Each structure stands twice: as structure tokens, then as C-alpha cells.
């Protein structure tokens, strides 16, 4: 009987340790993402696109978030998430004509119901030019 209680106690402690490790890893991942990106409001853009049936794809949707130029310095990529009709859309604009900011990155989460788009999250990050700040994706001001 005593041995069984020890085994159960050891098992419970192991489970608690695993849960704590998982929580620390998941919280660390969240804080890393929040340190790299700035969350932007979605309400105004969603009001603009609410009844716009001319938006046929993710690239057209992104234009409402960031009116990008028609240029080889803009790269747009998207993938459908596990939930049907939900997308993660990424825009990277490099070689900016700015003396401190080298590039912008936007990550947009959106849902398409077959007629209308709805944006649930917009994240923005930038890279500074060499000697003007952080050259990795971040949200801190460039010099």
C-alpha cells in the first residue's frame, strides 16, 4: 500500500513538472512574438471591407492593410489554416526608400466566408538598416 502511494505521488509530481514546462514554453513563445511584432487595430479596416465583394484573394485584402506598391520588393505569401477558410497572410516589403527602416513585415489573420473577408489580427514588424538599430524583425524604433 505504501509503495502504491509513493508511485502515485511521484507520478503526480512528474505530471506537474511536465505541465509547468509546457506552460513556460508556450508563454515564452507568446512573449517572443509580442516582442517582435506590434498588434494593429482591425476595426476600421473591417468596416471598409465588410461589404466589399471585389476582394477576391489575400493579396487584394492586404492592400487595405498596407497599400503596397506594385514592385519586385514586395512579397506576399499565404496559407489556409487548419480551420477551413481561415488564412495567415504575410507581406514583406524590402528595400524601402527610408534612411532608417530597411523592411516591413505584416502578418494578417483573416477569414473568408465565400463572399466577405474579416480580419481577426494584424501584426507589423520592421528591420532597421545596418547601424540604425536592430536588423532583425522587431517593433523597436530605428535610429
Amino acid at each position: 500500500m505504501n509503495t502504491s502511494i509513493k508511485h502515485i505521488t511521484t507520478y503526480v509530481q512528474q505530471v506537474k513538472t511536465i505541465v509547468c514546462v509546457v506552460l513556460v514554453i508556450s508563454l515564452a513563445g507568446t512573449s517572443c512574438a509580442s516582442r517582435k511584432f506590434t498588434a494593429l487595430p482591425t476595426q476600421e479596416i473591417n468596416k471598409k471591407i465588410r461589404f466589399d465583394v471585389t476582394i477576391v484573394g489575400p493579396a487584394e485584402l492586404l492592400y487595405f492593410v498596407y497599400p503596397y506598391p506594385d514592385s519586385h520588393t514586395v512579397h506576399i505569401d499565404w496559407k489556409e489554416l487548419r480551420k477551413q477558410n481561415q488564412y495567415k497572410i504575410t507581406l514583406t516589403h524590402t528595400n524601402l526608400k527610408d534612411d532608417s527602416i530597411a523592411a516591413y513585415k505584416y502578418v494578417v489573420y483573416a477569414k473568408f466566408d465565400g463572399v466577405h473577408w474579416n480580419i481577426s489580427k494584424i501584426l507589423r514588424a520592421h528591420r532597421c538598416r545596418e547601424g540604425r538599430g536592430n536588423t532583425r524583425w522587431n517593433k523597436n524604433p530605428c535610429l
Side-chain angles (χ1 to χ4, degrees):
M1 193 84 157
N2 228 356
T3 309
S4 295
I5 292 175
K6 284 183 180 180
H7 287 297
I8 291 172
T9 304
T10 303
Y11 177 74
V12 168
Q13 288 173 340
Q14 289 173 344
V15 168
K16 284 182 179 179
T17 301
I18 291 170
V19 168
C20 286
V21 168
V22 168
L23 283 173
V24 166
I25 289 172
S26 65
L27 289 174
T30 302
S31 66
C32 287
S34 66
R35 281 185 274 149
K36 290 182 182 179
F37 288 92
T38 300
L40 301 177
T42 60
Q43 297 87 353
E44 289 302 314
I45 294 172
N46 279 327
K47 283 181 189 176
K48 289 180 186 176
I49 65 172
R50 191 164 153 186
F51 299 112
D52 192 338
V53 294
T54 63
I55 304 170
V56 295
E60 290 89 357
L61 178 66
L62 266 180
Y63 196 78
F64 286 88
V65 175
Y66 178 72
Y68 55 89
D70 185 18
S71 169
H72 66 281
T73 62
V74 175
H75 177 77
I76 299 172
D77 189 26
W78 64 85
K79 69 176 183 175
E80 190 167 358
L81 300 176
R82 288 185 180 173
K83 289 185 178 181
Q84 191 175 15
N85 300 324
Q86 292 193 7
Y87 295 85
K88 177 184 178 185
I89 312 158
T90 305
L91 176 142
T92 308
H93 187 186
T94 58
N95 201 23
L96 296 174
K97 295 178 180 176
D98 188 282
D99 64 344
S100 60
I101 299 175
Y104 278 119
K105 179 185 271 189
Y106 286 83
V107 179
V108 176
Y109 293 88
K111 183 176 182 179
F112 183 62
D113 68 8
V115 180
H116 303 102
W117 287 90
N118 184 56
I119 296 173
S120 59
K121 187 186 294 186
I122 303 171
L123 301 172
R124 181 182 64 199
H126 62 270
R127 287 192 317 219
C128 301
R129 294 204 181 277
E130 195 71 41
R132 302 300 300 262
N134 195 339
T135 57
R136 295 180 184 228
W137 294 115
N138 73 98
K139 65 180 184 180
N140 300 326
C142 298
L143 305 173

